[in-house]
Structure formats: structure tokens, C-alpha cells
């Protein structure tokens, strides 16, 4: 199985879905616990949730393999994204509930196995991401990256209480134009029945922080959404179209604002 699926659009926008994959190769799955093989911590149904993005002309990059195989939103040196807070690693050995993913310590990936997964899965995804951003920048003079994520709304390991529904992250203003970030927050705050925050608990992972270089014309935003906004948060993790339909218009307005910003930059150039 390829490490990603890719659709090339015509607009100056790439939507990245690094945690949407559910595939675990058999040799790795054999070492996981039964619960680990259920890949609970997936960003479920991202392509369905963003089904409007193709019509906007966006390019779309979707991981096929589970984050339990390798986390595409972590740096290769495993530097912590949130120093002092609980985080999961490049090749996780425990889940969001802190339970072991592997049936035994002997089954956990060693340095050689981590290097193998980096070459097979991490490198191809990031090579495609980099190439597409560069292509967009050459064509449009600016490249917009939207890193699409979701997470259970209540996860005591990572945050207290219930997470806001839409968590916009721009690495504390380092990955995206400040005025655009404020406009996105304003749009999110107008969504009926949904809560939102900018650079709260989730400020953007490795992808947002690494590829967001506004001074070079690369603007990156992460949206971490609560799964309760569009799906069942417990098994069988079903997609709920009627629930999703209540938040998708806001998501579409967010991407339209990103595209409008890109077009304004293109005209200014």
C-alpha cells in the first residue's frame, strides 16, 4: 500500500491529513495489542469531512497508514512539540489513554525499525508535501497549507475538561499571517453551537511549524477539531453526516478565507 493518497488541485491550497490513515502492515499489527490494532487514535473520516475541498480547487494529501506505525506530524529528532506536557512519540508505544500499544516490550520498535519506518512512510509523505507546496508557490507566488486533524473532545492525558470544537493553531503566530489568523478565528467564533480558540492547547504540530514560513510566502494553519463535532467518539467511530453538516459550512468558509488571502497576495505581487 502506498504511504499516501494525493489529489492535485488548481488552487493555491494544500490540505494535509497526516493522521487519517488506518492501515497497519501485518508484521507490525502482529506485535500490537488487540486494542492497538483497532487504531483508536485515528483522525477518523477526514476525507469525508473535507469532501467540499476538491470543489474549492485544493490539493489533498492523505496518509494511508496509522499514526501507530509512524506519526507524520512529529519531527525525526523527536523534539517535544509541547515541552513539559504529555506527548506521544514518532513511533508511539502507548495510546492517548496511556495504555501500551504493543503486547510486549520486546515488540516495541528499536532504532533500526524506526529508521525503516521513517524511510518507508515518513519520508515519502513529507517529500510529496514539500514538492506540492513548492509547485503551488511557483504557480501562485504564495502557498497555503491547511493541516487537518481531529481528536476526542475529552482526553485527560492531554488537557483538562472538554476541548473547544475548533482549535486553530499557527505556532503562536509564527506559521501564518497574523491578520489571516484573526479572520479565521472570527469565522470560527460565528459557527452556531460550536466553540473555538486560536493557539490554545493545540498550536500546530511539526507540519505546521516546519512548513509555515510566512516571510517566504508559505502560510500554514492547523485545525484540530473535536470528533464529537462530526462523528461518534467511541467504537465503532461512525461518521455522523447530520452532525457533520452543522459544522462543514464553517469549515468551508475557513478555507475560502484562506484562498481569498492567497489571491490577495497574488494580486499584490
Amino acid at each position: 500500500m502506498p504511504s499516501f493518497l494525493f489529489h492535485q488541485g488548481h488552487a493555491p491550497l494544500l490540505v494535509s491529513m497526516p493522521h487519517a490513515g488506518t492501515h497497519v502492515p501485518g508484521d507490525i499489527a502482529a506485535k500490537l495489542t488487540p486494542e492497538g490494532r483497532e487504531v483508536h487514535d485515528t483522525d477518523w473520516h477526514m476525507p469525508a469531512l473535507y469532501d467540499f475541498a476538491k470543489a474549492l480547487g485544493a490539493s489533498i494529501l492523505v496518509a494511508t497508514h496509522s499514526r501507530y506505525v509512524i506519526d507524520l506530524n512529529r519531527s525525526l529528532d523527536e523534539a517535544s512539540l509541547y515541552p513539559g506536557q504529555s506527548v506521544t512519540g514518532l513511533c508511539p508505544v502507548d495510546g492517548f489513554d496511556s495504555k501500551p500499544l504493543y503486547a510486549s516490550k520486546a515488540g516495541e520498535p528499536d532504532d533500526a525499525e524506526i529508521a525503516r519506518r521513517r524511510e518507508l512512510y515518513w519520508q515519502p509523505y513529507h517529500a510529496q508535501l514539500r514538492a506540492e507546496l513548492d509547485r503551488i508557490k511557483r504557480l501562485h507566488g504564495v502557498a497555503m497549507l491547511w493541516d487537518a486533524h481531529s481528536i476526542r473532545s475529552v482526553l485527560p492525558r492531554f488537557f483538562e475538561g472538554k476541548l473547544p470544537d475548533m482549535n486553530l493553531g499557527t505556532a503562536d503566530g509564527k506559521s501564518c499571517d497574523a491578520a489571516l489568523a484573526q479572520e479565521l478565528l472570527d469565522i470560527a467564533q460565528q459557527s452556531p453551537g460550536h466553540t473555538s480558540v486560536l493557539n490554545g492547547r493545540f498550536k500546530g504540530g511539526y507540519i505546521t511549524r516546519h512548513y509555515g514560513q510566512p516571510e517566504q510566502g508559505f502560510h500554514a494553519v492547523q485545525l484540530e477539531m473535536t470528533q464529537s463535532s462530526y462523528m461518534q467518539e467511541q467504537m465503532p467511530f461512525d461518521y455522523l453526516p447530520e452532525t457533520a453538516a452543522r459544522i462543514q459550512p464553517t469549515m468551508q468558509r475557513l478555507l475560502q478565507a484562506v484562498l481569498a488571502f492567497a489571491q490577495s497576495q497574488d494580486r499584490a505581487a
Side-chain angles (χ1 to χ4, degrees):
M1 179 179 289
S3 60
F4 60 82
L5 301 174
F6 177 63
H7 164 79
Q8 188 170 89
H10 58 80
L13 171 63
L14 171 60
V15 179
S16 164
M17 303 178 182
H19 292 155
T22 58
H23 180 64
V24 180
D27 60 328
I28 299 175
K31 299 175 183 178
L32 298 180
T33 65
E35 187 172 302
R37 289 192 288 272
E38 293 170 347
V39 294
H40 287 203
D41 300 328
T42 301
D43 292 10
W44 299 96
H45 309 297
M46 286 283 100
L49 185 63
Y50 281 86
D51 65 356
F52 56 85
K54 284 185 180 179
L56 295 177
S59 295
I60 303 173
L61 179 61
V62 186
T64 55
H65 288 62
S66 170
R67 68 188 301 160
Y68 290 174
V69 176
I70 193 164
D71 193 330
L72 301 174
N73 202 28
R74 298 292 183 270
S75 66
L76 293 181
D77 63 7
E78 300 213 50
S80 177
L81 296 169
Y82 299 97
Q85 301 186 51
S86 181
V87 294
T88 51
L90 180 66
C91 291
V93 296
D94 59 356
F96 289 175
D97 57 7
S98 298
K99 294 179 182 177
L101 294 176
Y102 289 83
S104 70
K105 293 290 288 185
E108 293 179 1
D110 57 17
D111 290 346
E113 172 63 9
I114 292 171
R116 185 184 75 90
R117 297 186 196 181
R118 283 166 49 179
E119 182 177 353
L120 284 177
Y121 311 117
W122 197 98
Q123 296 286 7
Y125 189 91
H126 284 269
Q128 183 63 51
L129 199 162
R130 178 77 271 166
E132 182 60 8
L133 287 178
D134 290 344
R135 185 193 71 87
I136 289 172
K137 176 71 160 37
R138 286 194 303 270
L139 285 177
H140 300 280
V142 65
M144 313 302 294
L145 173 60
W146 189 269
D147 209 39
H149 295 262
S150 71
I151 195 169
R152 295 199 297 275
S153 60
V154 177
L155 269 175
R157 174 177 177 177
F158 300 128
F159 49 85
E160 296 181 0
K162 185 178 185 295
L163 194 69
D165 296 310
M166 288 177 281
N167 300 266
L168 293 159
T170 63
D172 284 326
K174 299 182 183 71
S175 71
C176 171
D177 176 84
L180 172 60
Q182 183 59 51
E183 181 183 1
L184 295 174
L185 179 61
D186 292 343
I187 292 169
Q189 289 177 333
Q190 295 167 21
S191 184
H194 299 108
T195 54
S196 55
V197 68
L198 173 64
N199 292 315
R201 171 59 181 85
F202 294 96
K203 304 175 188 294
Y206 172 77
I207 289 175
T208 300
R209 301 179 196 210
H210 179 73
Y211 294 98
Q213 299 175 310
E215 67 283 355
Q216 302 296 325
F218 297 96
H219 298 263
V221 178
Q222 176 179 291
L223 176 58
E224 185 84 62
M225 286 184 52
T226 53
Q227 291 177 342
S228 58
S229 300
Y230 71 95
M231 60 169 277
Q232 292 180 343
E233 291 197 337
Q234 305 300 326
M235 287 188 71
F237 305 115
D238 285 344
Y239 186 67
L240 302 176
E242 292 183 1
T243 303
R246 291 196 283 270
I247 200 166
Q248 283 174 312
T250 298
M251 296 169 62
Q252 184 160 343
R253 286 195 290 273
L254 290 169
L255 293 194
Q256 287 170 331
V258 168
L259 287 170
F261 172 84
Q263 291 160 1
S264 72
Q265 299 298 295
D266 197 11
R267 286 193 299 269

